[in-house]
Amino acid sequence: MAFEALDELLDESLHLPIGGRVYTVPAPSAEVGLRTQAIIHAAATAADGGRADEQVLADAAERDLYAEVLGTAHEQMVADGVPWPALKHSAITAMVWISQDKAAAERFWNAAGDPSRVAPNRETRRARSGAANSTRSRGSSSGTSTRPVPGPAKGKGQRRR
């Protein structure tokens, strides 16, 4: 068995429909992909209260990251007068694609960037999985319990009181 050509196995582009037109976002270069992943990691670290790599974030501010992740689609969107929110959503979708995968990018796109729509709430997840019906509830965690009072000792071999 031989390796097949990778470019035939991977769909290396995103197709984003905006205003009746489909914009094709080509795969980023390795440099753009690696920088995007570093930026997303640094931003997530900062969002979690950690210390982010300031050099990575400073580099991101100096470059037009949206243009880099959208590639040729960026110029087409600007030329077509795509509104800023749509261009921004497209760029962030491309960043999700670069840092995760196409399925995650599709979920982000279809949720219009609203985190509450990307991941369903706990009740919805449980209803889909059936977990709510089969999972036993935990006992009280208040620190008190009702233990049965031991009865009188019977037979030999029992402890004396």
Side-chain angles (χ1 to χ4, degrees):
M1 179 177 195
F3 288 99
E4 294 183 39
L6 189 58
D7 55 349
E8 293 176 14
L9 297 173
L10 299 176
D11 180 5
E12 297 182 351
S13 59
L14 285 181
H15 307 284
L16 305 177
I18 302 171
R21 180 167 180 186
V22 176
Y23 295 91
T24 300
V25 179
S29 67
E31 179 186 358
V32 170
L34 291 169
R35 186 170 47 253
T36 301
Q37 288 205 340
I39 290 166
I40 289 174
H41 181 319
T45 299
D48 287 342
R51 184 163 168 82
D53 184 340
E54 293 175 19
Q55 182 64 39
V56 170
L57 295 177
D59 286 348
E62 293 173 9
R63 293 184 174 87
D64 188 358
L65 184 62
Y66 286 0
E68 288 180 336
V69 298
L70 290 173
T72 56
H74 182 267
E75 286 180 31
Q76 293 169 343
M77 289 178 182
V78 171
D80 291 347
V82 168
W84 169 247
L87 188 135
K88 179 179 176 182
H89 184 62
S90 299
I92 295 172
T93 299
M95 292 171 69
V96 170
W97 171 51
I98 292 166
S99 64
Q100 295 180 37
D101 58 27
K102 192 175 272 192
E106 185 177 336
R107 285 190 303 273
F108 180 83
W109 178 267
N110 291 336
D114 181 353
S116 68
R117 291 175 56 192
V118 174
N121 65 28
R122 183 186 326 194
E123 185 177 337
T124 304
R125 289 192 310 265
R126 285 184 175 179
R128 286 184 192 162
S129 70
N133 296 332
S134 63
T135 305
R136 292 178 48 177
S137 63
R138 294 177 56 185
S140 171
S141 60
S142 67
T144 62
S145 64
T146 54
R147 293 186 180 159
V149 177
K154 296 181 184 177
K156 54 184 182 176
Q158 294 287 329
R159 288 189 285 171
R160 288 189 172 175
R161 292 191 178 177

